[in-house]
Amino acid sequence: MKHFILKVFIFLIFASVALQLSSCKEERKSSEVKQVKVTFKKEGELQLKKATTDSLLASINIEIADDEYATQTGLMYRSSMENNQGMLFIFPDTDFRAFYMKNTQIPLDIIFIAEDKTIVSIQKNAQPMNETSLPSEDPAKYVLEINAGLSDTWSLEKGDIIEFTSIN
């Protein structure tokens, strides 16, 4: 009986070790990295106007980021954006804002906008993949991201205004 119990005990130990070794074996992973292409989805239209003359400086199509996921993701993982496109972040409150370019592959101008839709500050030419904080100079409810250089091309200044409509 002792020999039988010993044999069963040894068998269970070997079976346990074999099971652990087989479960620890790494599955073969594909060497291919799957790239997800994020494409622009028009969700509204935005106009930028000169505060002093009310003249139209530019009109662009916008994606709207107004929930936590969209706000955190922003324009990350995109390889390009057309000059007539941008992303408008809409926050539930007005506060000092700070953005950074983690996982963002394209240079951007980041425009901070007050609740009354006037531009309060502009961070020009934010560099791709840079995690340096880019803060607003004053509290903002909205933030507009456009391709780097467009704020100069359009002669945007503090005090200029935006108007936008959502198509959803």
Side-chain angles (χ1 to χ4, degrees):
M1 183 74 166
K2 283 184 181 180
H3 290 291
F4 176 75
I5 294 174
L6 184 59
K7 286 180 182 180
V8 170
F9 181 72
I10 291 172
F11 172 78
L12 290 174
I13 288 175
F14 279 115
S16 174
V17 169
L19 183 62
Q20 286 178 349
L21 288 176
S22 68
S23 67
C24 290
K25 196 185 314 183
E26 285 189 34
E27 292 181 22
R28 291 186 181 234
K29 294 182 182 176
S30 171
S31 61
E32 294 179 28
V33 175
K34 292 187 179 184
Q35 297 278 334
V36 176
K37 183 172 182 172
V38 183
T39 58
F40 182 83
K41 180 181 176 197
K42 181 178 176 179
E43 297 174 322
E45 297 174 349
L46 183 140
Q47 295 76 41
L48 295 146
K49 295 184 176 184
K50 199 68 171 159
T52 54
T53 62
D54 200 39
S55 60
L56 182 66
L57 298 172
S59 183
I60 62 171
N61 297 320
I62 54 171
E63 277 189 66
I64 297 174
D66 59 359
D67 62 35
E68 188 173 343
Y69 176 77
T71 301
Q72 294 296 321
T73 307
L75 292 172
M76 289 180 174
Y77 313 110
R78 300 183 193 213
S79 57
S80 66
M81 182 169 62
E82 301 294 322
N83 283 342
N84 68 338
Q85 297 174 334
M87 179 169 278
L88 181 67
F89 295 81
I90 304 173
F91 294 94
D93 59 349
T94 299
D95 203 348
F96 284 90
R97 306 279 174 216
F99 276 48
Y100 62 94
M101 298 290 287
K102 180 180 181 180
N103 297 320
T104 305
Q105 301 171 17
I106 51 179
L108 299 172
D109 287 348
I110 303 172
I111 303 162
F112 298 95
I113 304 157
E115 189 167 359
D116 67 359
K117 299 186 181 128
T118 60
I119 295 173
V120 295
S121 63
I122 303 171
Q123 288 281 354
K124 296 181 181 185
N125 200 26
Q127 291 303 298
M129 311 305 271
N130 189 329
E131 294 188 36
T132 302
S133 180
L134 303 167
S136 61
E137 294 174 10
D138 292 304
K141 179 171 179 70
Y142 308 97
V143 177
L144 176 64
E145 291 183 334
I146 57 176
N147 283 329
L150 288 178
S151 62
D152 284 338
T153 299
W154 298 333
S155 302
L156 287 179
E157 299 175 316
K158 284 175 77 170
D160 288 343
I161 58 175
I162 70 159
E163 293 177 1
F164 68 91
T165 55
S166 172
I167 59 173
N168 291 342

